[in-house]
């Protein structure tokens, strides 16, 4: 089971990501998980709550569980941990943009790098025989990081999430905090446009791929652009 699958399993059993919180004090929380251990000598299953704090792993005995499936045992253990006060709901800090602990947990869990669409595109590019840098600045002095960078060809590829970058096909405006999210997405799109202009002015070709696009087709287009620029050389905009 992958790390993401294990985390999703824990979320389902606990009733949500935000319900897996161990309070550390001073408004700090740690994300906990339940470990199940079968003791063969007694055939009993014991549940332990585990979390990390500043690099140190902590564990607390929750109790025995006796359900017939792993999912039910995890749920039983989480309920027991909550009843004993071992875990709580993560609270939204004052002034937070999130409308609830659940939405804050979901938004916080969004990855800025190595998302599934990025990995699929990179795998497809690799199959095309291309080599590249990941998560790098095309122009060192410009604070813009591209998802895939072809340094010699000066091609920068961005894989844009449909929600965060306002995909015209799939973006659905949030109902709660609509004005905030509208401004947030508009700001992201404006930054994307500025990035395109800045990199193009520095002689880079910018390719943007929506997360919903077929990775094989996208990789084919990227490969064509990269090989074309490798053959002819990128245009130096400063000389124009």
């Amino acid at each position: 089971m992958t790390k993401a699958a294990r985390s999703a399993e824990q979320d389902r059993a606990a009733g949500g990501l935000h319900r897996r919180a161990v309070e550390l004090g001073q408004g700090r929380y740690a994300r906990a998980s339940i470990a199940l251990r079968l003791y063969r000598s007694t055939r009993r299953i014991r549940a332990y709550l585990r979390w990390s704090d500043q690099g140190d792993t902590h564990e607390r005995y929750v109790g025995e569980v006796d359900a017939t499936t792993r999912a039910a045992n995890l749920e039983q253990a989480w309920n027991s941990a909550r009843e004993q006060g071992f875990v709580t709901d993560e609270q939204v800090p004052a002034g937070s943009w999130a409308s609830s602990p659940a939405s804050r947990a979901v938004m916080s869990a969004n990855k800025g790098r190595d998302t599934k669409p990025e990995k699929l595109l990179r795998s497809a590019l690799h199959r095309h025989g291309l080599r590249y840098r990941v998560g790098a600045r095309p122009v060192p002095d410009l604070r813009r990081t591209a998802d895939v960078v072809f340094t010699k060809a000066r091609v920068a590829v961005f894989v844009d999430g449909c929600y965060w970058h306002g995909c015209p096909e799939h973006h659905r405006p949030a109902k709660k905090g609509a004005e905030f999210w509208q401004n947030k997405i508009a700001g992201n799109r404006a930054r994307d446009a500025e990035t395109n202009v800045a990199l193009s002015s520095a002689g880079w070709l910018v390719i943007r791929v929506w997360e919903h696009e077929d990775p094989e087709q996208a990789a084919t287009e990227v490969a064509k652009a990269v090989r074309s620029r490798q053959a002819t050389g990128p245009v130096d905009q400063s000389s124009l």
Side-chain angles (χ1 to χ4, degrees):
M1 183 182 294
T2 65
K3 183 178 179 180
R6 289 195 299 270
S7 180
E9 179 186 53
Q10 295 284 340
D11 290 347
R12 288 191 296 270
L17 180 67
H18 68 291
R19 294 176 66 81
R20 293 169 50 192
V22 173
E23 191 169 2
L24 303 176
Q26 299 182 334
R28 296 172 55 241
Y29 296 88
R31 195 82 64 209
S33 61
I34 291 289
L36 301 177
R37 295 176 186 164
L38 171 64
Y39 288 80
R40 298 187 183 281
S41 58
T42 61
R43 303 301 300 173
R44 292 181 176 179
I45 302 174
R46 293 181 179 180
Y48 295 83
L49 187 72
R50 303 190 69 192
W51 70 95
S52 294
D53 181 14
Q54 298 181 343
D56 295 327
T57 300
H58 301 270
E59 187 172 275
R60 192 167 194 172
Y61 176 61
V62 174
E64 292 185 357
V65 291
D66 56 5
T68 57
T69 65
R70 174 178 170 80
N73 278 323
L74 285 174
E75 183 175 352
Q76 189 179 117
W78 275 111
N79 289 337
S80 179
R82 182 168 296 278
E83 290 172 0
Q84 296 177 71
F86 296 165
V87 293
T88 184
D89 288 356
E90 184 174 353
Q91 298 301 305
V92 178
S96 172
W97 44 260
S99 59
S100 69
S103 62
R104 179 170 178 265
V106 170
M107 296 303 179
S108 298
N110 278 303
K111 300 173 64 176
R113 176 175 169 174
D114 291 336
T115 63
K116 183 177 179 181
E118 287 178 30
K119 290 181 177 180
L120 290 174
L121 177 62
R122 291 191 327 232
S123 295
L125 290 170
H126 198 274
R127 288 192 292 274
H128 276 270
L130 298 176
R131 300 298 179 265
Y132 43 79
R133 296 180 64 193
V134 176
R137 290 185 184 182
V139 180
D141 295 336
L142 182 65
R143 297 187 62 182
R144 294 293 193 276
T145 301
D147 297 311
V148 179
V149 176
F150 298 89
T151 306
K152 292 184 178 180
R154 289 194 189 181
V155 175
V157 182
F158 296 83
V159 182
D160 293 336
C162 289
Y163 180 81
W164 293 106
H165 295 263
C167 169
E169 293 184 42
H170 301 102
H171 176 72
R172 297 293 182 271
K175 294 182 179 180
K176 290 187 177 181
E179 183 178 356
F180 172 86
W181 289 114
Q182 182 178 1
N183 293 335
K184 176 70 174 176
I185 302 306
N188 289 345
R189 296 184 69 176
R191 182 179 173 84
D192 292 343
E194 291 173 1
T195 298
N196 294 350
V197 171
L199 292 182
S200 295
S201 298
W204 285 75
L205 172 65
V206 178
I207 299 177
R208 291 191 174 272
V209 179
W210 288 112
E211 67 173 334
H212 70 262
E213 291 187 56
D214 179 80
E216 292 295 339
Q217 292 182 7
T220 298
E221 294 302 315
V222 172
K224 186 186 302 182
V226 169
R227 292 198 167 105
S228 174
R229 287 172 71 91
Q230 286 174 337
T232 62
V235 177
D236 185 356
Q237 297 289 334
S238 63
S239 64
L240 299 180

